[in-house]
Amino acid sequence: MLNKRLLKECYNQRSYIPIVTASSIINSIFIIVNGYLLAKTVDSIFIQKESLSGVSSFIILLSISAALKAVANLFLENSIKNRSEDIKNNIRRSIFNSILDSNPYKVKSQKVGETINLLTEGIEMITSYFSQYVPQVVGAFMVPLFIVVSVVITDR
């Protein structure tokens, strides 16, 4: 489940949401293209009874598409990870400022172990939340949507 308070932090990092959305769209497009090329290759070999030289263009295009997908994913995942680190640093800075701005006696009365755990391990988990979990949730919505739309368009 998506945490509403954490998602508000995405809006401070303006490029995070467009990059995550672009990543899902690009992955969806490559899944559809690779599926189409694979289906054409299998159809040509087993149904059309073409030789391997007859489907070499599909195999080459499939290889190029897979390579482009790998490069795009590498770039986009790196960008998402960098934005996630920025979000984590903003949250950490906000927590430190909150502690520094609060009453010292109130801070002293807080449980030190919980506060230290929050500022170390808790904050570090935010990176994986924004770099892995949120993109997976967006992808879980976008990929099936693109596949359904492409099937509806091509299956007329």
Side-chain angles (χ1 to χ4, degrees), residues 22-126:
S23 174
S24 293
I25 290 171
I26 290 170
N27 275 326
S28 300
I29 291 169
F30 276 117
I31 288 170
I32 292 165
V33 168
N34 289 345
Y36 173 78
L37 290 172
L38 186 60
K40 289 298 269 182
T41 303
V42 170
D43 178 61
S44 296
I45 291 173
F46 293 108
I47 306 297
Q48 307 292 328
K49 303 290 185 192
E50 287 189 33
S51 65
L52 191 57
S53 62
V55 295
S56 63
S57 61
F58 290 130
I59 293 172
I60 291 170
L61 287 173
L62 186 62
S63 300
I64 291 170
S65 177
L68 287 174
K69 181 181 180 190
V71 169
N73 278 339
L74 183 68
F75 173 74
L76 290 168
E77 287 174 7
N78 191 28
S79 296
I80 290 171
K81 181 137 175 86
N82 289 340
R83 299 313 176 274
S84 300
E85 288 289 331
D86 292 343
I87 291 170
K88 176 186 76 173
N89 291 335
N90 288 341
I91 292 172
R92 179 179 280 144
R93 194 174 308 114
S94 169
I95 290 172
F96 278 135
N97 289 338
S98 174
I99 289 172
L100 293 175
D101 291 344
S102 67
N103 185 344
Y105 295 107
K106 186 177 180 183
V107 172
K108 188 177 180 181
S109 68
Q110 297 293 320
K111 296 179 182 173
V112 177
E114 287 180 11
T115 305
I116 290 172
N117 187 40
L118 173 69
L119 291 174
T120 55
E121 292 178 26
I123 295 290
E124 289 304 317
M125 286 190 253
I126 287 176

